Amino acid sequence: MRTLNIPGDAFLDLISFRMKAYADLVKLRLSALVTFSAAFGYILGDSGVNFSWFNFLGLIIGGLLISGASGAANEIWEKDFDKLMKRTQNRPLPLNLISMKEAYWFTSVIAVLGILILWVFTNPLTTALGVLSMVLYVFVYTPLKRVGPIAVFVGAIPGAMPPLLGWTAATGMISHEALIIFGIQFIWQFPHFWAIAWVGDDDYKRAGFKLLPSGGKKDLNTAIQIMIYTLFLLPLGLLPTYFGLTGINSGIVATLCGVLFLGQTFSLMRDCSRKSALRIMFGSFLYLPIVQIAYLLDKV
């Protein structure tokens, strides 16, 4: 009887290939950023007296699994649309690197596992918020992307949920401080999403996605809306300092980052170009982690 002999290097290459495919399915880089925001919320909310690694690691692992399951479910839902867009046509499902049956099973398992870990390691409130975030992202935001820009508003809710989950995991309650860090990330979503939608407008139109405001046009009205939401970040960024959650130094950092972020929107209002939208997109990627790290370093 002959046995299948796979060379060691070939076997390792196969394992690496499969792992990369599953990492792409769960949008690992995005999930890692989401998890960072949850960790930020936890550390900011923790009193510092008896830091619980049990709760913290449970939040990180459970949050990462729930975020990954949400991303994978989104790719399952949009498989046929992803084939139409250049930026997504090389994802695992359009390329059939992972079968739909595999994707369904994998997504279901990590979703259930993530929920169970949050339940055991954190508290019911954090678990409920995690489930709500996943439901909103997968079953409301995802189908609404083909309906209109209301999808951005809905998507901003689960998008801003991670720091809130972190706070509730540390404190067991939703306080005004929790709503502040939720609000900053909620408002940040709008210039972030709209800049991405502006840059990828041709791709999104191929798939029938309608994310830009003002009738989906790349015009001055849309640029003004991006500017207005970015402007809101200036007073919001000072609220942690005002309420004594952080010191004055982080307030200065948040204001400087907000001013620089806002300045990029004026360029878009002036020329309505893809290049200016691209600057806003990259600016949004920098703004949030820099401000959150500043809050952590300046925690009172």
Side-chain angles (χ1 to χ4, degrees), residues 271-294:
D271 58 25
C272 292
S273 69
R274 186 180 186 275
K275 186 177 180 180
S276 294
L278 199 61
R279 288 199 191 100
I280 295 173
M281 186 182 79
F282 285 119
S284 71
F285 286 134
L286 292 172
Y287 173 87
L288 196 63
I290 290 174
V291 169
Q292 288 181 340
I293 290 171

Side-chain angles (χ1 to χ4, degrees), residues 195-270:
I196 292 174
W198 189 304
V199 171
D201 185 56
D202 292 338
D203 248 2
Y204 283 128
K205 282 179 177 175
R206 290 189 195 98
F209 293 153
K210 304 170 183 177
L211 299 177
L212 286 173
S214 302
K217 296 177 181 178
K218 296 185 291 183
D219 59 9
L220 180 59
N221 287 331
T222 294
I224 289 173
Q225 291 200 50
I226 292 174
M227 182 275 293
I228 290 171
Y229 278 92
T230 308
L231 183 62
F232 284 146
L233 288 174
L234 288 175
L236 280 172
L238 288 171
L239 289 182
T241 299
Y242 179 80
F243 284 98
L245 183 59
T246 63
I248 188 65
N249 291 328
S250 59
I252 293 171
V253 172
T255 300
L256 287 174
C257 288
V259 168
L260 291 172
F261 195 11
L262 180 65
Q264 294 173 322
T265 67
F266 293 129
S267 176
L268 184 66
M269 290 168 60
R270 186 172 58 252

Side-chain angles (χ1 to χ4, degrees), residues 17-37:
F17 177 80
R18 294 290 289 173
M19 287 179 66
K20 184 182 183 306
Y22 277 103
D24 289 343
L25 179 68
V26 299
K27 302 179 180 178
L28 187 59
R29 283 181 295 181
L30 176 60
S31 296
L33 289 173
V34 168
T35 306
F36 171 81
S37 285

Side-chain angles (χ1 to χ4, degrees), residues 37-294:
S37 285
F40 153 75
Y42 187 96
I43 297 170
L44 201 64
D46 184 73
S47 64
V49 179
N50 292 306
F51 186 87
S52 173
W53 284 101
F54 181 83
N55 287 356
F56 182 70
L57 292 176
L59 170 72
I60 297 302
I61 297 169
L64 186 64
L65 289 172
I66 283 182
S67 177
S70 300
N74 173 267
E75 291 198 24
I76 290 171
W77 191 296
E78 296 181 344
K79 176 190 174 184
D80 292 333
F81 303 131
D82 283 346
K83 292 178 180 177
L84 304 175
M85 298 187 289
K86 291 178 181 178
R87 60 184 288 272
T88 57
Q89 62 189 9
N90 290 323
R91 285 178 173 175
L93 296 182
L95 292 179
N96 293 315
L97 302 179
I98 297 173
S99 70
M100 288 296 285
K101 184 178 180 180
E102 278 183 88
Y104 277 120
W105 274 106
F106 180 75
T107 302
S108 300
V109 168
I110 64 172
V112 171
L113 191 58
I115 293 168
L116 288 175
I117 289 174
L118 286 183
W119 180 267
V120 172
F121 284 74
T122 62
N123 52 58
L125 176 58
T126 303
T127 307
L129 289 173
V131 172
L132 175 63
S133 176
M134 185 164 54
V135 168
L136 284 175
Y137 184 82
V138 176
F139 299 107
V140 185
Y141 163 69
T142 298
L144 278 179
K145 287 165 71 176
R146 289 172 56 82
V147 175
I150 184 63
V152 176
F153 175 83
V154 175
I157 299 173
M161 207 66 94
L164 182 60
L165 263 69
W167 185 278
T168 59
T171 66
M173 63 180 182
I174 299 175
S175 61
H176 67 275
E177 296 97 338
L179 294 176
I180 287 170
I181 58 176
F182 171 86
I184 291 170
Q185 193 149 324
F186 177 79
I187 293 299
W188 168 85
Q189 302 277 328
F190 291 90
H192 172 70
F193 266 120
W194 285 335
I196 292 174
W198 189 304
V199 171
D201 185 56
D202 292 338
D203 248 2
Y204 283 128
K205 282 179 177 175
R206 290 189 195 98
F209 293 153
K210 304 170 183 177
L211 299 177
L212 286 173
S214 302
K217 296 177 181 178
K218 296 185 291 183
D219 59 9
L220 180 59
N221 287 331
T222 294
I224 289 173
Q225 291 200 50
I226 292 174
M227 182 275 293
I228 290 171
Y229 278 92
T230 308
L231 183 62
F232 284 146
L233 288 174
L234 288 175
L236 280 172
L238 288 171
L239 289 182
T241 299
Y242 179 80
F243 284 98
L245 183 59
T246 63
I248 188 65
N249 291 328
S250 59
I252 293 171
V253 172
T255 300
L256 287 174
C257 288
V259 168
L260 291 172
F261 195 11
L262 180 65
Q264 294 173 322
T265 67
F266 293 129
S267 176
L268 184 66
M269 290 168 60
R270 186 172 58 252
D271 58 25
C272 292
S273 69
R274 186 180 186 275
K275 186 177 180 180
S276 294
L278 199 61
R279 288 199 191 100
I280 295 173
M281 186 182 79
F282 285 119
S284 71
F285 286 134
L286 292 172
Y287 173 87
L288 196 63
I290 290 174
V291 169
Q292 288 181 340
I293 290 171

